Amino acid sequence: GLPLVVVPMHPMLDQPMVGTAVEAAGGGLSIRKSSSPGAIRAALDTVLDGPHRDAAAAIGARWRGVDGSVVAADAILALRSEPVSP
């Protein structure tokens, strides 16, 4: 339920994708690991006092409103195109 400032540290891991998803959902910003302290401060100020806070709160409420294990199991079962053979 809190806005994020994502600082991907390695381009080959999932971190850049997570940062992109957070931005796309409106729940925060993604900045480069080479960002200056001033740029980091500006990003933090932006997410704490803007629409990112409201978006993050809404995202958190949606996540808390569902049973993640049931959603995941349903998604896995939906991907199964044919019966599993022994």
Side-chain angles (χ1 to χ4, degrees):
L2 296 174
L4 302 174
V5 173
V6 180
V7 185
M9 300 307 286
H10 195 288
M12 300 304 290
L13 299 176
D14 66 344
Q15 298 163 359
M17 180 182 68
V18 169
T20 299
V22 167
E23 279 196 14
L29 297 174
S30 182
I31 61 175
R32 289 186 287 223
K33 70 178 180 178
S34 61
S35 295
S36 69
I40 296 169
R41 169 77 184 251
L44 290 168
D45 287 342
T46 298
V47 300
L48 291 176
D49 292 327
H52 299 96
R53 182 178 284 276
D54 294 334
I59 292 166
R62 281 196 312 269
W63 285 2
R64 288 186 297 277
V66 297
D67 183 342
S69 60
V70 171
V71 173
D74 289 345
I76 291 168
L77 290 173
L79 292 173
R80 202 175 82 182
S81 61
E82 53 189 66
V84 176
S85 58

